[in-house]
């Protein structure tokens, strides 16, 4: 989801070079996300990102090197930690259900980074410069889902005949599809209510 917030330094305290670098990178990614949401992927250029963030194009180039690298970084950071706390849970049915419900709930917050990720993901279907990165992101997501199902089968909470691969593809497709619907018509998706309903559906479908 959004990049880690940068806390202002204590008066009299000087930030280290690494802190300044981290703050600059976060500001550039925030600016890129805003441009994607406002005007689409094609509107993103290194110069416009730098201008939006209050830096020169040279600073953007120094941090990312190219527009593709910038978009790759945005895709990774915007989904990292998207559902707070889920990374601390052990693999299994409980983690899977927390992830599903939490993911839909977070979609309802309409955060800039989350919206940018979904727009980039949709664009990746036809944009070769984005497709490799998003295939990698989706496979990492599916791998986590497969791990949850396999762990649930092993501990007896998930039906033995559940196929981790099929469940992973189905859950990912459902979550992404809901996200795109939310982008197109926010009023059509009650994220909090829908998250609970979908979590209940998967609980009934998978429980041993």
């Amino acid at each position: 989801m959004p990049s880690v917030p940068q806390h202002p330094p204590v008066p009299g305290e000087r930030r280290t070079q690494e802190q300044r670098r981290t703050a600059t990178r976060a500001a550039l990614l925030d600016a890129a996300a805003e441009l994607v949401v406002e005007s689409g992927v094609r509107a993103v250029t290194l110069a416009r990102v730098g201008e939006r963030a209050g830096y020169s194009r040279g600073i953007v180039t120094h941090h990312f090197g190219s527009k593709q690298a910038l978009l790759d970084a945005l895709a990774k950071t915007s989904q990292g930690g998207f559902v707070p706390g889920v990374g601390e849970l052990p693999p299994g049915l409980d983690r899977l259900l927390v992830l599903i419900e939490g993911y839909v709930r977070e979609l309802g917050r309409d955060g800039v980074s989350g919206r940018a990720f979904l727009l980039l993901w949709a664009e990746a279907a036809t944009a070769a410069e984005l497709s490799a990165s998003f295939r990698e992101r989706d496979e990492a997501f599916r791998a986590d889902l497969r791990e949850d199902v396999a762990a649930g089968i092993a501990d007896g909470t998930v039906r033995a005949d559940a196929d981790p691969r099929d469940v992973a593809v189905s859950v990912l497709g459902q979550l992404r599809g809901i996200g795109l619907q939310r982008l197109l018509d926010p009023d059509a998706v009650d994220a909090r209510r829908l998250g609970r309903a979908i979590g209940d559906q998967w609980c009934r479908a998978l429980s041993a």
Side-chain angles (χ1 to χ4, degrees):
M1 195 58 183
S3 51
V4 177
Q6 302 301 313
H7 300 290
V10 176
E13 180 185 26
R14 298 182 62 183
R15 292 191 299 179
T16 65
Q17 181 176 356
E18 182 60 30
Q19 288 173 326
R20 291 195 299 270
R21 175 181 174 82
T22 299
T24 299
R25 181 181 174 88
L28 294 175
L29 290 171
D30 287 345
E34 291 170 2
L35 288 171
V36 169
V37 170
E38 292 173 8
S39 306
V41 178
R42 289 174 177 79
V44 177
T45 66
L46 299 185
R48 291 190 68 186
V49 169
E51 181 181 4
R52 170 62 67 94
Y55 296 99
S56 68
R57 171 178 174 157
I59 292 293
V60 189
T61 303
H62 172 73
H63 278 269
F64 299 102
S66 67
K67 174 180 175 178
Q68 180 172 346
L70 170 63
L71 294 177
D72 286 347
L74 178 59
K76 293 175 181 178
T77 58
S78 62
Q79 285 289 283
F82 189 64
V83 181
V86 74
E88 301 169 7
L89 299 175
L93 181 59
D94 285 345
R95 188 178 77 168
L96 176 64
L97 299 177
V98 169
L99 174 60
I100 291 172
E101 183 171 344
Y103 193 101
V104 178
R105 183 181 63 248
E106 291 300 317
L107 289 174
R109 299 188 190 280
D110 290 325
V112 172
S113 292
R115 291 170 63 84
F117 178 87
L118 288 168
L119 289 167
L120 289 169
W121 182 77
E123 186 81 11
T126 56
E129 67 272 18
L130 293 174
S131 59
S133 175
F134 278 83
R135 281 197 302 270
E136 177 184 338
R137 297 301 300 163
D138 282 359
E139 175 51 28
F141 200 159
R142 287 192 296 267
D144 285 342
L145 297 170
R146 291 194 299 267
E147 184 181 27
D148 286 335
V149 177
I153 293 172
D155 67 22
T157 57
V158 172
R159 291 179 10 234
D161 62 344
D163 188 316
R165 295 167 300 180
D166 291 346
V167 173
V169 171
S170 299
V171 170
L172 178 57
Q174 186 177 35
L175 296 178
R176 292 280 197 263
I178 291 169
L180 292 177
Q181 289 183 69
R182 176 79 185 176
L183 281 178
L184 292 172
D185 189 359
D187 293 336
V189 179
D190 182 339
R192 184 169 294 277
R193 182 191 61 77
L194 187 61
R196 290 194 299 269
I198 294 174
D200 289 344
Q201 289 173 7
W202 280 106
C203 184
R204 290 193 299 270
L206 293 175
S207 292

